[in-house]
Amino acid sequence: MPQLEQFVTSVDSVVSRMRALDEALPERDGIAVFNRVYLAVTEAVDRGIDTGRFADAQAAITLDVRFAERYLRAVGTVAAERRPPACWRPLFQYRRHPGVRPLQFALAGINAHIGHDLALAVVDTCRTLDCEPVDVEDEFDRVGDLLVSLEERIREDLMPGPDLLQIADPLTHLLGAWSLERARDATWTAARALWALRGLPDVAEEFTERLDTAVGFAGRMLLTPLPD
């Protein structure tokens, strides 16, 4: 029970840090756009835990916290003028670009966080709880379901209206090449692979670096500036 209480406090802590970022960043900033999305997800997970949506509350809390910590660490790294993981670099680089639309910022952040951070967060969770990935698969799936439903709402809310078809046409084409469902499936496979490689640290490190680079490349494509 003490361990569970520790993570309940941590959920409150990460939510507070995201809210502080929301208040501090300019509304149009690309990190601010993603942060609002992720704050909504984290609050939804927190409500799900409180209402018993997750069968294993401790696993859900641990995964939620470990997941959020990786995003917040990337923000802190940039604030300290150091290089973040490759998956996050495009979003930080283009966060103020006038030719990038809010929907692109939101999905590029989701791409970085799901494609790279979530796989590592699953491994972090298994180490914390001394369990196997299969033991947290239900929690992984439920968090993923929340993200999919939120992504649909994001696309509806942030997609340009019919009066901006000149923008919407290339934007639709660009974003249609990326799928959260496919990214989530690939992340689960990556998490299992990393767990299987935990006894081979050199190979695991190389695998993680390649994953980071690949996700960063996809993020750069999602952030392609579009004409006004």
Side-chain angles (χ1 to χ4, degrees), residues 37-136:
V37 171
Y38 191 33
L39 175 58
V41 171
T42 305
E43 290 174 334
V45 171
D46 201 17
R47 289 192 297 271
I49 292 168
D50 290 342
T51 58
R53 179 172 181 174
F54 296 90
D56 188 338
Q58 185 173 10
I61 291 168
T62 306
L63 180 59
D64 189 36
V65 171
R66 294 295 180 243
F67 190 29
E69 285 174 341
R70 290 195 169 270
Y71 157 62
L72 293 169
R73 193 176 304 144
V75 173
T77 296
V78 172
E81 299 184 350
R82 300 194 304 271
R83 281 166 65 85
C87 62
W88 285 105
R89 287 173 204 159
L91 183 55
F92 282 102
Q93 181 181 0
Y94 285 84
R95 63 191 292 183
R96 299 181 181 90
H97 197 296
V100 179
R101 311 301 163 191
L103 178 57
Q104 292 174 265
F105 288 135
L107 294 186
I110 293 173
N111 169 71
H113 205 37
I114 297 296
H116 173 266
D117 293 355
L118 184 54
L120 274 62
V122 169
V123 174
D124 293 341
T125 298
C126 290
R127 286 175 174 155
T128 299
L129 300 179
D130 192 22
C131 66
E132 298 286 324
V134 67
D135 298 321
V136 298

Side-chain angles (χ1 to χ4, degrees), residues 97-195:
H97 197 296
V100 179
R101 311 301 163 191
L103 178 57
Q104 292 174 265
F105 288 135
L107 294 186
I110 293 173
N111 169 71
H113 205 37
I114 297 296
H116 173 266
D117 293 355
L118 184 54
L120 274 62
V122 169
V123 174
D124 293 341
T125 298
C126 290
R127 286 175 174 155
T128 299
L129 300 179
D130 192 22
C131 66
E132 298 286 324
V134 67
D135 298 321
V136 298
E137 187 171 7
D138 287 346
E139 287 65 42
F140 176 93
D141 287 340
R142 285 180 175 83
V143 170
D145 290 342
L146 283 171
L147 285 163
V148 169
S149 64
L150 187 62
E151 184 208 18
E152 294 170 355
R153 194 178 79 194
I154 292 165
R155 287 180 184 266
E156 291 175 0
D157 291 347
L158 298 181
M159 196 68 176
D163 56 329
L164 296 176
L165 288 179
Q166 185 179 1
I167 295 173
D169 284 345
L171 186 59
T172 301
H173 177 76
L174 178 66
L175 300 179
W178 185 83
S179 162
L180 177 55
E181 295 258 16
R182 290 196 299 268
R184 184 176 65 168
D185 291 344
T187 292
W188 181 246
T189 299
R192 292 178 60 206
L194 281 169
W195 186 251

